[in-house]
Amino acid sequence: MTKTNSNSDKQLRLYQIFSAKLVLEVMGGAGAIWGFSEAVGLRVPSTIWLWRPCALAVGAIFFVRWMSQIRDYVSEEDITKTNSNSEKQLRLYQIFIAKLVLEVMGGAGAIWGFSEAVGLRVPSTIWLWRPCALAVGAIFFMRWMAQIRDHVLEEDIQLFERKAASVEDGERAPLAPQKVYS
């Protein structure tokens, strides 16, 4: 394989990866806010003026994130290898804020939008589809919380500063009764 062919393969792979990410993450991020706000009953005709800029702002944030991912991919930086706890915490926030929008809100928004797109959600069936969309959102929220827990444990991330209890701190008695076995 020639070097030119290898570079063209890498370019093709870049286009494949990031064209999908543009649709799923950038447009999906904006669409998640748009659909989720309607599914929970916040976006109604009188509040569209508020939710359109909110959805577009999230789309813009995800667009900047998308551009950063392209930069990292092209320069072949390994941004997942972090050493310090603060770097691990920052990476945790970067990953899971995106997942909250794309997976949790996007999951509920997907049910809401798909039910309308295929003609199942009409004004007379909103009573059925709103709980369906919100149930999917709730399931994805629980999944999201479990993913955070697993990530924190796997990466050994300390979220809170741990301080050893001492007599000077005023802790003189244990919180639970101690059983003495003889």
Side-chain angles (χ1 to χ4, degrees):
M1 184 183 287
T2 65
K3 185 172 182 156
T4 306
N5 192 16
S6 175
N7 284 339
S8 65
D9 288 346
K10 287 180 182 178
Q11 283 182 330
L12 177 63
R13 186 73 182 132
L14 177 117
Y15 295 134
Q16 290 171 338
I17 291 169
F18 288 99
S19 62
K21 283 182 169 279
L22 177 66
V23 172
L24 296 172
E25 295 181 10
V26 177
M27 295 176 189
I33 298 301
W34 187 255
F36 187 76
S37 65
E38 184 180 1
V40 296
L42 296 173
R43 184 170 57 85
V44 294
S46 63
T47 62
I48 287 177
W49 64 270
L50 170 70
W51 287 102
R52 188 176 313 277
C54 289
L56 293 175
V58 169
I61 291 167
F62 276 79
F63 182 75
V64 170
R65 176 179 174 267
W66 178 76
M67 295 295 288
S68 296
Q69 289 175 334
I70 291 174
R71 182 199 64 222
D72 293 340
Y73 184 87
V74 169
S75 66
E76 296 181 1
E77 293 176 2
D78 189 5
I79 62 170
T80 61
K81 300 292 183 204
T82 56
N83 296 326
S84 76
N85 194 57
S86 62
E87 289 173 332
K88 289 179 181 180
Q89 286 178 350
L90 178 62
R91 186 72 183 137
L92 173 82
Y93 299 137
Q94 290 171 343
I95 291 169
F96 288 98
I97 288 172
K99 283 181 168 282
L100 176 67
V101 171
L102 296 172
E103 295 179 9
V104 177
M105 294 178 183
I111 298 301
W112 188 255
F114 183 78
S115 65
E116 181 179 25
V118 297
L120 296 173
R121 184 170 56 85
V122 294
S124 63
T125 62
I126 286 176
W127 65 270
L128 170 69
W129 288 103
R130 180 163 281 133
C132 290
L134 296 179
V136 168
I139 290 166
F140 276 79
F141 182 76
M142 289 184 287
R143 176 179 172 264
W144 179 74
M145 295 296 290
Q147 288 175 334
I148 290 174
R149 182 202 59 221
D150 293 345
H151 185 81
V152 167
L153 293 174
E154 287 172 12
E155 297 295 324
D156 192 32
I157 300 171
Q158 301 300 318
L159 296 176
F160 305 102
E161 186 177 328
R162 293 185 181 168
K163 185 176 179 182
S166 67
V167 174
E168 292 84 31
D169 291 337
E171 188 171 322
R172 299 186 193 280
L175 295 175
Q178 302 292 317
K179 291 186 179 182
V180 178
Y181 297 100
S182 47

